[in-house]
Amino acid sequence: MKNAPLPEGSRLIDGCFDKEGQASLVAAIRAVVAKAPLYRPEMPRTGKPFSVRMTNCGPLGWVSDRAGYRYQPLHPVTGEPWPPIPPMLLALWNEVSDYPHPPEACLVNFYDEAARMGLHRDEDEAALDAPVVSVSLGDSCLFRLGGRERGDPTRSFRLASGDVFVLGGPSRLMFHGVDRIYPGSSTLLERGGRINLTLRRVTPPG
Ligand code: MD3
Ligand code: FE
């Protein structure tokens, strides 16, 4: 059971979505991307482009540009509001988050075979009492989970299509990243690659 060695507050649900559920999610995300196209964010200050392409759905979306990281209600390229979070993802949040308010942002990350994500913490959300709920679709990745400090030891494991990862409590502020994609490890996406969805509560309720 690969759930056993995970830190307190984190829970990996292997195969949470079966093939049919994964296909439904991909269809829902394609509809989101049709309205809010994937774009390539840039690093704060340097403007270095991300290797991951991104979009969002929900009232708020996470963006990065030379000015910094932030949540905002409009797509930075189209200037339009982000489309709503698909009902399937709201249902997932209700099942696994143990949080009594809905998520406000769903960040959609698309990785081609060369994309990766450096070690970082998700700390742009004021509602740090809410977990982050992640869904992996398509090719598997090598995921790295560290500790609360950048230099803490890390452990690596594969996230596969249909896996759901819930990061709450003491795990919420742990460093994490994606070291590599395994091209050809899934047939879910016709042209390959990996999609990661992260559901987030941004603002404290009330
Ligand atoms: C561990 N995404 O979008 S999701 C991100 O696979 C991000 O695209 C990765 O990190 C991806 O910010 C990882 C799993 C995840 C999400 C949030 C976490 C792991 C986490 C927050 C704390 C600790
Ligand atoms: Fe993250």
Side-chain angles (χ1 to χ4, degrees):
M1 194 76 179
K2 72 180 175 187
N3 290 18
L6 291 174
E8 190 187 338
S10 73
R11 176 176 165 216
L12 179 55
I13 310 171
D14 275 295
C16 182
F17 289 98
D18 64 12
K19 274 271 131 52
E20 189 184 327
Q22 293 169 40
S24 302
L25 272 175
V26 169
I29 295 307
R30 283 196 199 292
V32 165
V33 169
K35 288 189 243 171
L38 290 166
Y39 72 99
R40 197 177 296 281
E42 295 177 340
M43 290 295 291
R45 297 182 304 281
T46 64
K48 182 178 188 281
F50 282 40
S51 59
V52 178
R53 291 188 296 152
M54 297 183 174
T55 189
N56 291 268
C57 47
L60 293 172
W62 186 87
V63 301
S64 177
D65 59 21
R66 283 176 184 272
Y69 304 136
R70 64 194 175 276
Y71 283 90
Q72 65 180 42
L74 303 179
H75 191 295
V77 177
T78 67
E80 296 288 326
W82 306 105
I85 297 175
M88 278 184 81
L89 290 170
L90 295 175
L92 173 69
W93 176 271
N94 288 339
E95 281 164 28
V96 305
S97 73
D98 197 29
Y99 191 78
H101 306 278
E104 295 169 296
C106 176
L107 175 61
V108 179
N109 293 151
F110 179 78
Y111 295 77
D112 66 18
E113 62 182 46
R116 51 182 286 284
M117 189 177 285
L119 209 63
H120 67 278
R121 293 194 302 186
D122 293 15
E123 56 187 356
D124 301 321
E125 302 79 22
L128 287 170
D129 58 324
V132 172
V133 175
S134 144
V135 185
S136 293
L137 295 168
D139 287 336
S140 299
C141 75
L142 183 63
F143 178 79
R144 185 192 290 266
L145 183 61
R148 312 264 298 198
E149 308 292 336
R150 184 171 282 280
D152 287 348
T154 65
R155 79 196 80 182
S156 295
F157 45 95
R158 270 174 91 121
L159 294 178
S161 194
D163 290 354
V164 168
F165 203 179
V166 185
L167 287 305
S171 300
R172 178 65 180 77
L173 286 174
M174 286 183 168
F175 279 89
H176 58 278
V178 173
D179 288 344
R180 62 162 296 191
I181 301 301
Y182 294 99
S185 51
S186 164
T187 56
L188 184 69
L189 305 175
E190 291 86 342
R191 282 183 287 186
R194 171 174 183 266
I195 296 170
N196 180 263
L197 311 172
T198 45
L199 295 161
R200 299 129 184 274
R201 179 76 197 191
V202 179
T203 61

